[in-house]
Amino acid sequence: MQTTDTVRDILRNYEGETPGVKANLARMLMAGKLGGTGKMIILPVDQGFEHGPARSFAPNPEGYDPHYHYQLAIDAGLNAFAAPLGMIEAGADSFAGQIPTILKCNSANSLMSGTAGKNQAVTASVDDALRLGCSAIGFTIYPGSDCALDMFEEIVEMRKEAAAKGVATVIWSYPRGEALDKDGETAIDIAAYAAQIAALIGAHVIKIKLSTDHLSLPEAKKVYEAENIDISTQAARVKHCVQSAFGGRRIMVFSGGAKKGADSVYDDARAIRDGGGNGSIIGRNSFQRPREEALEMLGKLQDIYLGRG
Amino acid sequence: MQTTDTVRDILRNYEGETPGVKANLARMLMAGKLGGTGKMIILPVDQGFEHGPARSFAPNPEGYDPHYHYQLAIDAGLNAFAAPLGMIEAGADSFAGQIPTILKCNSANSLMSGTAGKNQAVTASVDDALRLGCSAIGFTIYPGSDCALDMFEEIVEMRKEAAAKGVATVIWSYPRGEALDKDGETAIDIAAYAAQIAALIGAHVIKIKLSTDHLSLPEAKKVYEAENIDISTQAARVKHCVQSAFGGRRIMVFSGGAKKGADSVYDDARAIRDGGGNGSIIGRNSFQRPREEALEMLGKLQDIYLGRG
Amino acid sequence: MQTTDTVRDILRNYEGETPGVKANLARMLMAGKLGGTGKMIILPVDQGFEHGPARSFAPNPEGYDPHYHYQLAIDAGLNAFAAPLGMIEAGADSFAGQIPTILKCNSANSLMSGTAGKNQAVTASVDDALRLGCSAIGFTIYPGSDCALDMFEEIVEMRKEAAAKGVATVIWSYPRGEALDKDGETAIDIAAYAAQIAALIGAHVIKIKLSTDHLSLPEAKKVYEAENIDISTQAARVKHCVQSAFGGRRIMVFSGGAKKGADSVYDDARAIRDGGGNGSIIGRNSFQRPREEALEMLGKLQDIYLGRG
Amino acid sequence: MQTTDTVRDILRNYEGETPGVKANLARMLMAGKLGGTGKMIILPVDQGFEHGPARSFAPNPEGYDPHYHYQLAIDAGLNAFAAPLGMIEAGADSFAGQIPTILKCNSANSLMSGTAGKNQAVTASVDDALRLGCSAIGFTIYPGSDCALDMFEEIVEMRKEAAAKGVATVIWSYPRGEALDKDGETAIDIAAYAAQIAALIGAHVIKIKLSTDHLSLPEAKKVYEAENIDISTQAARVKHCVQSAFGGRRIMVFSGGAKKGADSVYDDARAIRDGGGNGSIIGRNSFQRPREEALEMLGKLQDIYLGRG
Amino acid sequence: MQTTDTVRDILRNYEGETPGVKANLARMLMAGKLGGTGKMIILPVDQGFEHGPARSFAPNPEGYDPHYHYQLAIDAGLNAFAAPLGMIEAGADSFAGQIPTILKCNSANSLMSGTAGKNQAVTASVDDALRLGCSAIGFTIYPGSDCALDMFEEIVEMRKEAAAKGVATVIWSYPRGEALDKDGETAIDIAAYAAQIAALIGAHVIKIKLSTDHLSLPEAKKVYEAENIDISTQAARVKHCVQSAFGGRRIMVFSGGAKKGADSVYDDARAIRDGGGNGSIIGRNSFQRPREEALEMLGKLQDIYLGRG
């Protein structure tokens, strides 16, 4: 499949990167209904690890089966499917070559006490990604955690190996931990900082959360106010985050969080689109809905990214 | 020995796995009186490590000798014998090829203080398993412990090596630690979560404990109640746990705990069978009984799994 | 380009070092408007990591784009451009061969709590430096931190690998941590000590901060007073620091800190020059100014080092 | 030298072990005056590390010289000489081939504060053992210490390497640490447990201390009483410990502790013999006595093991 | 240069050691004015790391330049020059082959807080020693520190590599840390213990401090008194320390500490000589004096060791 000009423009930003990584970025950017537009929708299913199986799949019990998610992502024409080792393996053969996959290589869980540290376990490797035919590895960092430096070092090592072996790297940059209060986790200055850190440590695709107009760090607050940085709307905040990742030289997608009303999901997508983000990574809001409803929602989201909604 | 359709169906769930691993899973599934049925009974003897020799073997002192357990498992027609390094070695030559063995690769003990951490020591390696002709490695994780992330990382590494070398992986997923109170360790939401984690980090065979109808995590409790998940009977809870491990795509066996009345052991097995579990892993309830009594009990359990009890 | 006598004299101090390292030191010393004089001005852009993107780039938003900094350093005729992995990569191809680059291999950030330790994450490797065509690796140590010994060990390992592969090593020696109070971080005895440590662990280029005439360690204070060491002017303090790094056998550059008035920047440079330092590493004071203003300032600084200001 | 039936019977218990390990076990079992009987006396000299030189050697200052101990062990016709790296090296050439040696690979010392952890430093390697012609490595574990899991993991790794290279492993299993009070360290239930752990992690020769009739763990105490386990005499306790190490399938020797009256040493040996232990490891009680007195005592101990005392 | 009988006698104590190590020990023992006598004077210059540059070099500012120390050691006819990586490198080419060098491979500093641990950073490697043509590596251990076990393990590893590559090992055994009070650091029982530990972990040359007649450990004190060990004079204490390192089978040198009166330095040397020590390692007392004065003092010390003073 020939890449589009848009995709080639995006790839050109990954200077000096291996052809293997560029090919895998292209593979994701060219897949599905948004293929070639530079926009992406990714289905992530690591909630069974993060929140447990019942909280994740009981609302739509077909989701207990990994095949359900593969098929949903394929039928919806998404760009990629992301999941931890066991779930990717459980359909790796049945769905080989049908949709790009992202091997989520670390995970936290809801059985961690207050003394356990804000951290994740590395549960898969680059060689696993290769063996399973994945286009990318996925990795979460927690800027703000006392474990953050260790997490940075882990993904820096893995990313180096992955890139050398032609596998792209997606970083989930989720502020969390001892340095942040609850509001800080979603504050715009922190979100932009999280995007910058992910870019600096070498992410090819950056995944962050949508943010609020709260400003958390006093030193940053001064600058936002002095420089009149527009953070008044979600689209403005998306734009600021995209700018914070090398002025738009890195693919950035946004996650939606817990299941919520469809309109709210659509509004988010419009803000991402209008702010110049590359797309959505949308888990519970798709797989916790009945399949037909999910397909409809995902189709509508694609329309939004195609400028038709 | 030609595998049965049932076994081939089970193996088909291990997509993309090495032929070596599948062969070893087949070896265990085809062994003994339950061979070919998809059901398994495993004899585990690591209690000498966990509780000390007298508490484990004094009730039936023949058990001090590792050969006793090998012979018991063979004579009872079990599917596999699992034990730590020293015990497997002590009969590795005498019983070579007579029964599939599982090398238990980490162990805790009862001499650990309150400050020692809820953890286990890695006491054997994949190369030990190969050298000793084992079909699988066994490894315990403690979801809920502050050491859990480290334990996940250890088995993820070992499993990768094991699978590449054709050895299967059995994970004992035993909730325990700082994040859990006593009731939580056996609560159904936690048990299902433990099964899910084991599946996601790549277990080929998952071993969990039978659970109670207690719900431990508040966020989970809400969902169980909202979705009316049936947890009223042991069979229902087994079914929920099986579902929580990729909708039944992974072999799941259940442990019985401390020695108890025979009827109770049989009831457990019926619940496992009726809930769709693959079988029992039964230690103290077999080897702490006199040999003839143990053989009778194991025979009866096999009958239950064969649908005759 | 033939090296000058001045540069050859400097290189001669690096006894027994690999030709590769010497070639890269020469490359930096011979580049730009100060080429061949033994003086250097380096543009470092790691503030996005250290302080966040808005605090770093909002005052001059062109700086969000890595290409801006590459181009600024080239157009200003600087000796080298230093930045973390992602930023170096983002222009590695476009600007290949146009200016020597220094890959900053570790970084801290402003999202670290009081319990996180005074430390940095290693975010790039020697092989990254080779792959990206860099002349040197850059690494920060925090003498005075409880993490200092670990940081020393990290750079000692990396430096060994780098030198063997022909890459030079620049050490940012920034006193900070549990052993120091605020005044101590910039005290002259501590600054000289930081220079000495960097030299002893093998730095080819030492970067320290300009210091105050404060004396922090009581044992040192006694000696400074007994021996009448001149620390009364910035130039005298620069001279003492240069002496403290093997009597001038190591290249030493000084950082300027937060953005401030131009006159103050020029005064700093004159003190560095008069004290025998090799130059300035100047980040926020260049890239936070409008481009034309920055070019003018950098030109004036070069004039100072050339003895014309 | 042809091995005796007794020795061959012992070796047969090491199923699947490498011929190299068996040859080295045979070497120790066939050496000296007890050669071929399945009984052993070993001279260990690591007290200089554990207690310091003066406390160890001042009572008989010839012992400061490593050669003294080699010669004492040879002249007394012992089965092996065990010591840390430096001491083994100091006579490795002079006494090459004259007596089997055991390289003690970890050591504690009496300069460890209450916060240092109950641990030992690894001070020698398997390759050192090979280079120095040793028949075995020796390693201490502290069941009951918060460092115990780490210690288990260290010896498991070393033992694997040693066995692959044909070197046997002797484990000193000495209960100690946060989980135990003073009485617990020598309690019979703990001693038996220590023997079981050493066997399970792969010791070829197990060295434990003689125990008291104290029962330390409440859960164990119940079982000892319920099952009427005989722990009334030292011989009974030795028997129970031997049984606890795979029903006698592992060589077990007992240490005597600080210097004491000769009669007491003989009584210990008779208890070890009558309980089915394989022998004594006797340090201070031999080398702190004048040489002639020591030789006489060791001769008498050999007589006891030969059934003549 | 043919080795003398004295030197050959000393080398004979290093049983089984590699010819490379013996050659390097010979190189140091045969160098300078004491060459061939079995006595040694070593110039160590790591005080810039330990105490900072001004405290070390301001009293004689020529010492800021590493070449000064190389030349001083050569002109004084010393046996070896010891320093950290950067300082050795700074003269490695100019002085190649003119004097044996010892690469000091770990260092502490005076910027370590009370919570930093009593430890040193490893700042050089065996390969650095080879590359720089050094005869030995030098390494400090702190018996009594909570980091001591780690330090032992570090040097044990390095020593193994060094010996295999033909490089000798000098251990600075300096009691210090949580287990010791101030008097304990220089107590004779502790000094002798420190010598014993260094010998047991494989030092070829042991460097300790001169001690006082204080006895620190109660258990040791009892033995010193019961056995009437002579610790009344410095010579007696040197003799006891030499005895404590395998009865004199290891080269032992003594350090002198801070700058003091010349007579006191001479008295120390006489005590070392009379007690059977191998010599002095003398830093601040030489390089903090004016060059001519230092040369005179070093000459006089050599006379003392030659029995002429």
Side-chain angles (χ1 to χ4, degrees):
Chain A
M1 176 170 33
Q2 200 179 337
T3 51
T4 60
D5 286 352
T6 304
V7 167
R8 278 197 299 275
D9 283 350
I10 291 173
L11 295 181
R12 209 165 287 131
N13 286 323
Y14 295 86
E15 300 200 3
E17 196 45 273
T18 57
V21 167
K22 291 194 182 186
N24 270 315
L25 290 174
R27 212 158 280 145
M28 293 188 283
L29 287 164
M30 295 303 295
K33 296 191 187 153
L34 293 176
T37 64
K39 301 296 176 187
M40 303 176 83
I41 298 180
I42 297 170
L43 174 67
V45 190
D46 58 352
Q47 296 79 0
F49 214 133
E50 300 278 331
H51 309 130
R55 281 175 64 193
S56 303
F57 306 125
N60 178 22
E62 291 186 277
Y64 282 111
D65 183 352
H67 282 208
Y68 176 78
H69 304 288
Y70 268 101
Q71 199 63 59
L72 177 66
I74 292 164
D75 291 347
L78 301 190
N79 296 72
F81 168 53
L85 182 73
M87 185 165 283
I88 290 289
E89 280 184 329
D93 192 58
S94 297
F95 302 96
Q98 299 191 43
I99 186 166
T101 50
I102 300 168
L103 182 62
K104 186 75 201 317
C105 290
N106 67 346
S107 287
N109 63 78
S110 301
L111 299 174
M112 293 169 68
S113 82
T115 55
K118 311 303 185 213
N119 203 351
Q120 300 212 336
V122 178
T123 56
S125 67
V126 174
D127 282 337
D128 287 320
L130 290 169
R131 161 174 78 84
L132 296 167
C134 301
S135 291
I137 56 168
F139 197 93
T140 299
I141 56 173
Y142 291 148
S145 164
D146 285 1
C147 301
L149 300 191
D150 288 341
M151 298 178 96
F152 297 173
E153 294 189 350
E154 284 170 343
I155 183 54
V156 161
E157 269 305 303
M158 285 188 76
R159 176 219 178 278
K160 188 170 83 161
E161 182 189 354
K165 293 177 173 167
V167 174
T169 295
V170 183
I171 294 184
W172 275 236
S173 194
Y174 281 9
R176 182 176 171 229
E178 290 82 352
L180 296 170
D181 58 20
K182 210 63 202 169
D183 285 342
E185 291 185 2
T186 52
I188 175 61
D189 62 323
I190 304 295
Y193 202 160
Q196 166 82 357
I197 287 176
L200 285 171
I201 62 177
H204 299 112
V205 179
I206 298 167
K207 179 189 167 195
I208 59 173
K209 292 184 185 173
L210 290 170
S211 54
T212 69
D213 63 2
H214 180 62
L215 290 165
S216 176
L217 297 171
E219 288 299 308
K221 190 175 160 75
K222 278 186 231 166
V223 173
Y224 277 84
E225 290 171 356
E227 304 289 347
N228 276 316
I229 301 175
D230 182 6
I231 56 169
S232 59
T233 64
Q234 190 58 268
R237 295 192 292 273
V238 164
K239 187 177 171 191
H240 177 61
C241 288
V242 169
Q243 186 185 39
S244 292
F246 299 166
R249 289 181 187 274
R250 292 291 173 265
I251 298 168
M252 188 177 296
V253 296
F254 293 81
S255 58
K259 188 179 165 190
K260 53 191 172 185
D263 285 350
S264 171
V265 175
Y266 303 143
D267 285 348
D268 284 352
R270 285 184 200 104
I272 296 165
R273 177 196 63 194
D274 296 344
N278 294 82
S280 301
I281 183 156
I282 182 162
R284 282 171 285 174
N285 272 298
S286 55
F287 69 71
Q288 289 189 343
R289 284 182 160 77
R291 183 176 143 89
E292 287 314 309
E293 203 179 306
L295 287 172
E296 191 189 326
M297 166 179 280
L298 290 166
K300 182 118 190 230
L301 284 171
Q302 288 162 330
D303 283 342
I304 290 170
Y305 281 116
L306 291 168
R308 304 188 207 125
Chain B
M1 177 168 34
Q2 200 180 336
T3 52
T4 60
D5 286 352
T6 304
V7 166
R8 279 197 299 275
D9 282 349
I10 291 173
L11 295 181
R12 208 165 288 130
N13 287 323
Y14 295 86
E15 301 201 2
E17 195 45 273
T18 57
V21 167
K22 291 193 181 187
N24 270 315
L25 290 174
R27 212 159 280 145
M28 292 189 284
L29 287 164
M30 294 303 296
K33 294 191 189 155
L34 294 176
T37 64
K39 301 296 176 186
M40 304 176 84
I41 299 180
I42 297 169
L43 175 68
V45 189
D46 58 352
Q47 296 79 0
F49 215 133
E50 301 277 332
H51 308 131
R55 281 176 63 193
S56 303
F57 305 126
N60 178 21
E62 291 185 277
Y64 282 111
D65 183 353
H67 283 209
Y68 176 80
H69 304 289
Y70 268 100
Q71 200 62 58
L72 177 66
I74 292 164
D75 291 346
L78 302 190
N79 296 71
F81 169 53
L85 182 71
M87 185 165 282
I88 291 289
E89 279 184 330
D93 193 58
S94 297
F95 301 96
Q98 300 192 42
I99 186 167
T101 50
I102 300 167
L103 182 62
K104 186 74 201 316
C105 289
N106 67 346
S107 288
N109 63 78
S110 300
L111 299 174
M112 293 169 67
S113 82
T115 55
K118 311 303 185 212
N119 203 351
Q120 300 212 336
V122 178
T123 55
S125 66
V126 174
D127 282 337
D128 287 320
L130 290 169
R131 162 173 77 83
L132 296 167
C134 302
S135 292
I137 55 168
F139 197 94
T140 299
I141 56 173
Y142 292 148
S145 165
D146 286 1
C147 302
L149 300 191
D150 288 341
M151 297 178 97
F152 297 172
E153 294 188 352
E154 285 170 342
I155 184 53
V156 161
E157 270 305 303
M158 285 188 77
R159 176 219 178 276
K160 187 169 84 160
E161 182 189 354
K165 293 178 174 168
V167 174
T169 295
V170 183
I171 294 185
W172 275 237
S173 194
Y174 282 9
R176 184 176 170 229
E178 291 81 350
L180 296 170
D181 57 19
K182 211 62 201 167
D183 287 341
E185 291 185 3
T186 52
I188 175 61
D189 62 323
I190 304 295
Y193 202 160
Q196 165 82 357
I197 287 175
L200 284 171
I201 62 178
H204 299 112
V205 179
I206 297 167
K207 179 188 166 195
I208 59 172
K209 293 184 185 173
L210 290 170
S211 54
T212 68
D213 63 2
H214 180 63
L215 289 165
S216 176
L217 297 171
E219 287 299 307
K221 190 176 160 74
K222 278 187 232 168
V223 174
Y224 277 84
E225 290 170 356
E227 304 289 346
N228 276 317
I229 302 175
D230 182 6
I231 56 170
S232 58
T233 64
Q234 191 58 268
R237 294 192 292 273
V238 165
K239 188 177 171 192
H240 177 61
C241 289
V242 169
Q243 185 184 41
S244 292
F246 299 167
R249 290 183 186 273
R250 291 292 173 265
I251 299 168
M252 189 177 296
V253 295
F254 293 81
S255 59
K259 189 180 163 190
K260 53 190 173 186
D263 286 348
S264 171
V265 176
Y266 302 144
D267 286 348
D268 284 353
R270 284 184 200 105
I272 296 165
R273 178 196 64 194
D274 296 344
N278 294 81
S280 302
I281 183 156
I282 182 163
R284 283 170 285 175
N285 273 297
S286 54
F287 70 71
Q288 289 190 342
R289 284 182 159 78
R291 185 176 142 88
E292 288 312 311
E293 202 179 306
L295 288 172
E296 191 189 326
M297 166 178 278
L298 291 166
K300 180 116 193 230
L301 285 171
Q302 289 162 330
D303 283 342
I304 290 170
Y305 281 116
L306 291 169
R308 303 188 208 126
Chain C
M1 177 170 32
Q2 200 180 336
T3 51
T4 59
D5 286 353
T6 304
V7 166
R8 279 197 299 276
D9 283 349
I10 291 173
L11 295 181
R12 209 165 287 130
N13 287 322
Y14 296 86
E15 300 200 1
E17 196 44 272
T18 58
V21 167
K22 291 193 181 187
N24 270 315
L25 290 174
R27 212 158 279 146
M28 293 188 284
L29 287 164
M30 295 302 296
K33 295 189 187 155
L34 294 175
T37 65
K39 301 295 177 188
M40 305 176 82
I41 299 180
I42 297 170
L43 174 69
V45 190
D46 58 351
Q47 296 79 0
F49 214 134
E50 301 278 331
H51 308 131
R55 283 175 63 194
S56 304
F57 307 125
N60 179 22
E62 291 185 278
Y64 282 110
D65 183 352
H67 283 209
Y68 176 79
H69 304 288
Y70 268 101
Q71 200 62 59
L72 177 66
I74 292 163
D75 291 347
L78 302 190
N79 296 71
F81 169 51
L85 181 72
M87 186 165 282
I88 291 289
E89 279 185 329
D93 192 57
S94 297
F95 302 95
Q98 299 191 44
I99 186 166
T101 50
I102 299 168
L103 182 62
K104 186 74 200 317
C105 290
N106 66 347
S107 288
N109 64 78
S110 300
L111 299 174
M112 292 169 69
S113 82
T115 55
K118 310 304 184 212
N119 203 351
Q120 299 212 337
V122 178
T123 57
S125 66
V126 173
D127 282 337
D128 287 320
L130 290 169
R131 161 173 78 83
L132 296 166
C134 301
S135 292
I137 56 168
F139 197 94
T140 299
I141 56 172
Y142 291 149
S145 164
D146 286 1
C147 302
L149 299 192
D150 288 341
M151 298 177 98
F152 297 172
E153 295 189 350
E154 285 170 342
I155 183 55
V156 161
E157 270 305 303
M158 286 188 76
R159 177 219 177 278
K160 187 170 84 162
E161 181 188 355
K165 293 178 172 167
V167 175
T169 295
V170 183
I171 294 184
W172 275 236
S173 194
Y174 281 9
R176 184 176 171 229
E178 291 82 351
L180 296 170
D181 57 20
K182 210 63 201 170
D183 286 343
E185 291 184 3
T186 52
I188 175 60
D189 62 323
I190 305 295
Y193 202 159
Q196 166 82 357
I197 287 175
L200 284 172
I201 62 178
H204 299 110
V205 179
I206 297 167
K207 180 189 167 195
I208 60 172
K209 294 183 185 173
L210 290 170
S211 53
T212 68
D213 64 1
H214 180 62
L215 290 165
S216 176
L217 297 172
E219 288 298 308
K221 190 176 162 74
K222 278 186 233 168
V223 174
Y224 277 83
E225 290 170 356
E227 304 288 346
N228 276 315
I229 302 176
D230 182 6
I231 55 169
S232 59
T233 64
Q234 190 58 268
R237 294 193 290 273
V238 165
K239 188 177 171 191
H240 177 60
C241 289
V242 169
Q243 186 185 40
S244 292
F246 299 165
R249 290 182 186 274
R250 292 291 173 264
I251 298 168
M252 189 177 297
V253 296
F254 294 80
S255 58
K259 188 179 164 191
K260 53 192 172 185
D263 285 349
S264 171
V265 176
Y266 302 142
D267 286 348
D268 284 352
R270 286 183 199 103
I272 295 165
R273 178 196 63 194
D274 296 345
N278 294 80
S280 301
I281 181 156
I282 182 163
R284 282 170 286 174
N285 272 297
S286 54
F287 69 72
Q288 289 190 343
R289 283 182 159 80
R291 182 177 143 88
E292 288 313 311
E293 202 179 308
L295 288 172
E296 191 189 326
M297 166 179 279
L298 291 166
K300 180 117 191 231
L301 285 170
Q302 288 161 330
D303 283 343
I304 291 170
Y305 281 116
L306 291 167
R308 302 188 208 127
Chain D
M1 177 169 34
Q2 199 179 336
T3 51
T4 59
D5 287 352
T6 304
V7 167
R8 279 198 299 275
D9 283 349
I10 291 174
L11 294 181
R12 209 165 287 130
N13 287 322
Y14 295 87
E15 301 200 2
E17 196 44 271
T18 58
V21 167
K22 291 193 181 188
N24 270 315
L25 290 174
R27 212 159 279 145
M28 293 189 283
L29 287 164
M30 295 303 296
K33 295 190 188 154
L34 294 176
T37 64
K39 301 297 175 186
M40 304 176 84
I41 299 181
I42 298 169
L43 174 69
V45 190
D46 57 352
Q47 295 80 0
F49 215 133
E50 301 277 331
H51 309 129
R55 282 175 63 193
S56 304
F57 306 126
N60 178 22
E62 292 186 276
Y64 283 110
D65 183 352
H67 283 209
Y68 176 80
H69 304 288
Y70 268 101
Q71 200 62 57
L72 176 67
I74 292 163
D75 291 348
L78 302 191
N79 297 71
F81 169 51
L85 182 72
M87 185 164 283
I88 291 289
E89 279 185 331
D93 193 56
S94 297
F95 301 96
Q98 300 191 44
I99 186 166
T101 51
I102 300 168
L103 182 63
K104 186 74 202 316
C105 290
N106 67 346
S107 288
N109 63 78
S110 301
L111 299 174
M112 292 169 68
S113 82
T115 55
K118 310 303 185 213
N119 203 352
Q120 300 213 336
V122 177
T123 56
S125 66
V126 174
D127 282 337
D128 287 320
L130 290 169
R131 162 174 77 83
L132 296 167
C134 301
S135 292
I137 55 169
F139 198 94
T140 299
I141 56 173
Y142 291 149
S145 165
D146 285 1
C147 301
L149 300 192
D150 288 342
M151 297 177 99
F152 297 172
E153 294 188 351
E154 284 169 342
I155 184 53
V156 161
E157 269 306 303
M158 285 187 77
R159 177 221 178 274
K160 186 169 84 161
E161 182 188 354
K165 292 177 174 168
V167 175
T169 295
V170 183
I171 294 185
W172 275 237
S173 193
Y174 282 9
R176 185 177 169 228
E178 292 81 351
L180 296 170
D181 56 21
K182 211 63 200 168
D183 286 341
E185 290 184 3
T186 52
I188 175 59
D189 61 323
I190 304 296
Y193 202 160
Q196 165 82 357
I197 287 175
L200 284 171
I201 62 179
H204 298 111
V205 179
I206 298 167
K207 179 189 166 194
I208 59 173
K209 294 184 185 172
L210 290 170
S211 54
T212 68
D213 63 1
H214 181 62
L215 290 165
S216 177
L217 297 171
E219 288 299 307
K221 191 175 158 76
K222 278 186 231 166
V223 173
Y224 277 83
E225 290 170 356
E227 304 288 347
N228 276 315
I229 301 175
D230 182 7
I231 56 170
S232 58
T233 64
Q234 190 58 268
R237 294 193 290 273
V238 164
K239 188 177 170 192
H240 177 61
C241 289
V242 169
Q243 185 184 41
S244 292
F246 299 166
R249 289 180 186 274
R250 292 292 173 264
I251 299 169
M252 188 176 297
V253 295
F254 293 81
S255 59
K259 189 180 163 189
K260 53 191 173 185
D263 286 348
S264 170
V265 176
Y266 302 144
D267 286 347
D268 284 353
R270 285 184 199 103
I272 295 165
R273 178 196 64 195
D274 296 344
N278 294 81
S280 301
I281 181 156
I282 182 162
R284 283 171 284 174
N285 272 297
S286 53
F287 70 71
Q288 289 190 343
R289 284 181 159 78
R291 182 177 144 89
E292 288 314 309
E293 203 179 306
L295 288 172
E296 190 189 324
M297 166 179 278
L298 290 165
K300 180 117 192 232
L301 284 170
Q302 288 161 330
D303 283 343
I304 290 170
Y305 281 116
L306 292 168
R308 305 189 207 124
Chain E
M1 177 170 33
Q2 200 180 336
T3 51
T4 60
D5 286 352
T6 304
V7 166
R8 278 197 299 276
D9 282 349
I10 291 174
L11 294 180
R12 209 165 289 130
N13 287 323
Y14 295 86
E15 301 200 1
E17 196 45 272
T18 58
V21 167
K22 291 193 182 188
N24 271 315
L25 290 174
R27 210 158 280 146
M28 293 189 282
L29 288 164
M30 295 303 295
K33 295 189 188 156
L34 294 176
T37 65
K39 302 295 176 188
M40 304 176 83
I41 299 181
I42 298 170
L43 174 68
V45 190
D46 57 351
Q47 295 79 0
F49 215 133
E50 301 277 330
H51 308 130
R55 282 175 63 193
S56 303
F57 306 125
N60 179 21
E62 292 185 276
Y64 282 111
D65 183 350
H67 283 209
Y68 176 78
H69 304 288
Y70 268 101
Q71 199 63 59
L72 177 65
I74 292 163
D75 291 346
L78 302 190
N79 297 71
F81 169 52
L85 181 72
M87 185 165 283
I88 291 289
E89 279 184 330
D93 193 57
S94 297
F95 301 96
Q98 300 191 45
I99 186 166
T101 50
I102 300 168
L103 182 62
K104 186 72 202 317
C105 290
N106 66 346
S107 288
N109 63 78
S110 301
L111 299 174
M112 292 169 68
S113 81
T115 55
K118 310 304 185 212
N119 203 350
Q120 299 212 336
V122 178
T123 56
S125 66
V126 174
D127 282 337
D128 287 320
L130 290 169
R131 161 173 79 83
L132 296 166
C134 301
S135 292
I137 55 169
F139 197 94
T140 299
I141 56 173
Y142 291 149
S145 164
D146 286 0
C147 301
L149 299 192
D150 288 342
M151 297 178 98
F152 298 172
E153 295 189 350
E154 284 169 343
I155 184 53
V156 161
E157 269 305 302
M158 285 187 77
R159 177 219 178 277
K160 187 169 84 162
E161 181 189 354
K165 293 177 173 167
V167 175
T169 295
V170 183
I171 294 184
W172 275 236
S173 194
Y174 281 9
R176 186 178 169 226
E178 291 81 351
L180 296 170
D181 56 21
K182 211 63 200 167
D183 286 341
E185 290 184 4
T186 52
I188 176 59
D189 61 323
I190 305 294
Y193 202 160
Q196 165 82 357
I197 287 175
L200 284 172
I201 62 178
H204 299 110
V205 179
I206 297 168
K207 180 190 168 194
I208 59 172
K209 293 183 186 174
L210 290 169
S211 53
T212 68
D213 63 2
H214 180 62
L215 290 165
S216 176
L217 297 171
E219 288 299 308
K221 190 176 159 74
K222 277 186 233 167
V223 173
Y224 277 83
E225 290 169 356
E227 304 288 347
N228 275 317
I229 302 175
D230 182 8
I231 56 170
S232 58
T233 64
Q234 190 58 266
R237 296 193 289 274
V238 164
K239 188 177 170 192
H240 177 61
C241 289
V242 169
Q243 185 185 41
S244 292
F246 299 165
R249 290 181 187 274
R250 292 291 173 266
I251 298 168
M252 189 176 296
V253 296
F254 294 81
S255 58
K259 189 180 164 191
K260 52 192 172 185
D263 286 348
S264 171
V265 176
Y266 303 144
D267 286 347
D268 285 353
R270 285 185 199 103
I272 296 165
R273 179 196 63 195
D274 296 344
N278 295 81
S280 300
I281 181 156
I282 182 163
R284 283 171 284 174
N285 272 297
S286 54
F287 69 71
Q288 289 190 343
R289 284 181 159 78
R291 181 177 145 88
E292 288 313 310
E293 201 179 307
L295 288 171
E296 192 189 324
M297 166 179 278
L298 291 165
K300 181 118 190 229
L301 285 170
Q302 288 161 330
D303 283 343
I304 290 170
Y305 281 116
L306 292 168
R308 303 188 208 127

